[in-house]
Amino acid sequence: MSQHSTTPRPNASSQETRTPHGETRSEWALGGMVFAGVLMMVIGVMGILNGIAGIATDDVYTNIGNYVFEFSLTTWGWIHLVIGLAVLATGWGVIQGHDWARAAGIALASLFAIEYFMFLPYAPVWSLICIGIAIFVMWSLATSPDPHADRRHM
């Protein structure tokens, strides 16, 4: 009987590379983090535009039924504007690879999802799309490997 080695053979077509300590790093995961940063910038700009529309005029959105979290549309405009600016800036930080941006991005994406859950009666379809994007951003930022890990261990 022969014994088989437990170390995997390198696969030339694999999307994974080895770091100096034997950990695998997926380029797909790093690409997902960049994509999350771009999505944060896009939804930040959309939040800013939603905020401006809500502040400028109160008849942009209509309320569909009664809801527990009912604010005036001007208040919603300011909420969208402030959170949109923060998400835009943090998305830029994620793309630049700043360490603070990952944790801030997860926190802001969580806040963004809660904001659009509360905004459901005013724009139900867009709110569901935004919640889905926020969940992807949280997952991507939480599971992506640290891009600076290679430089720290060398």
Side-chain angles (χ1 to χ4, degrees), residues 59-149:
D59 59 356
V60 174
Y61 298 106
T62 58
N63 192 353
I64 302 172
N66 291 330
Y67 200 60
V68 174
F69 309 110
E70 195 170 319
F71 300 120
S72 72
L73 287 177
T74 303
T75 304
W76 274 119
W78 283 107
I79 292 170
H80 285 305
L81 182 65
V82 170
I83 293 176
L85 285 168
V87 169
L88 176 66
T90 305
W92 178 253
V94 167
I95 290 174
Q96 296 298 313
H98 295 294
D99 291 332
W100 60 267
R102 285 180 72 175
I106 293 169
L108 281 172
S110 301
L111 185 62
F112 187 81
I114 293 167
E115 169 195 9
Y116 273 94
F117 172 75
M118 294 172 60
F119 196 67
L120 270 167
Y122 298 98
V125 175
W126 179 244
S127 293
L128 290 175
I129 291 169
C130 286
I131 291 169
I133 290 171
I135 289 169
F136 171 78
V137 167
M138 286 184 279
W139 171 81
S140 181
L141 293 177
T143 60
S144 293
D146 187 2
H148 302 298

